[in-house]
Amino acid sequence: VVKRLNDIVNPPTPPPEAPKFPAFPIKACILGKFFAGKSGVISRITETHRVECLAVDLLVHEALEAYKQKEMVEVPDSEFPPSILSGAAETPVAVTVQGGETPAPTTPGAATPVAPAVDAVKEDQAKAATPQQQPITPAPTDAATPTSAIDTKESSDTTGPPETPTMTDQSVRDCESEMSIKIDDAKMQLSARAKLGLKAMNHLKKGRVLPDALLVEIMVEAIRRIPEGTGWILDNFPINIQQAKMLEKALTGYEAPGSPRKSAMMQQQKDQKKGKKSKLVQDPIPSPEAKPHISGIDIVILFDIENEVVLKRAEGRTFDPQSGEVFHQEFQPPIEGTYTGLQNKSKVLPVLDSANDREQAQIRLATFQENWPKLEKWFTKFDIMTRIDVDREEELNYIETVH
């Protein structure tokens, strides 16, 4: 009874709402060591199916370019102040009309609508167009010379009150047009991709590696831009357990629970600090087991390959400088005669890739071997993990991946 009362007074925190995404027919990841043939298979899938490939390196480059080009988007009307959308100015405006000046409002944040000023101008113009009756005065007996009459007129004009300028219809139209331009400019802001590009640029300028959280944000933003009815495949992402957990949380709102043993120890330490110890009997009726979580990714495919094969593929690469075609001494040798440039054949050149030389290749392989066991355990928990042996022709790898 006490436990039920405690649950009523302090109800458990409800789970967060799942993020909303369009309906995608397929959501997949293809992971594996470099030179396993992932990009080639994904490229063929995107050509034959309604699927988009998302590579984090390319997405980071696009985000940086979006910021450099100042990519802008329009703010939805629902997020824009209604007073501005209705035609009111953001700052107080004093409009001068015939007969005086309409003062600006003194309330902070208030705005002066343009419509009343326009009506006032039209009313004053109508009055000006109506001829006014002047009192008839008898003509003077003494004839005045034309020069004296002109002097008298100039004198009366000078001594009289100054004429108040009026707003014409053209002035009102210009004012409304200028206000419309300002509203349109205010409704534009940097796109989400450009904002992420700014964050990435700040890290790169300081010589820092982009954090996993930022890479996940860039990837999720790209997923949101995919139209409904189109699938997506992540090319070698995520590459560590931190990225995998953050990606799952961004896609579904799921957050991995902490270790039960660790959580119990932390709670015990809190109780000891407070000097409190629960005396309630444990509930004899255990709480119902939670339903298994459905991952935001449909399938994760590992392109499995031995380290020796990776090192062989990384070495011995050449390319044709004219066509750009890449060859390999063992797996895809060039046409006969291209090594020497004889028989009117263009001479192939070795591929200079410091990022994939033998030393760097071994470091990358060691990093993959360190991260993969945790990733495999994470994806296996959701029953979405599968493995393909790719030490064979690319055509066979493509067929098995699709089916």
Side-chain angles (χ1 to χ4, degrees), residues 285-291:
I285 303 176
S287 58
E289 295 184 0
K291 295 181 180 180

Side-chain angles (χ1 to χ4, degrees), residues 183-199:
I183 293 176
D184 292 340
D185 292 341
K187 292 178 66 175
M188 302 300 293
Q189 66 177 7
L190 281 176
S191 65
R193 178 167 59 173
K195 291 178 181 178
L196 294 174
L198 173 60
K199 292 182 180 180

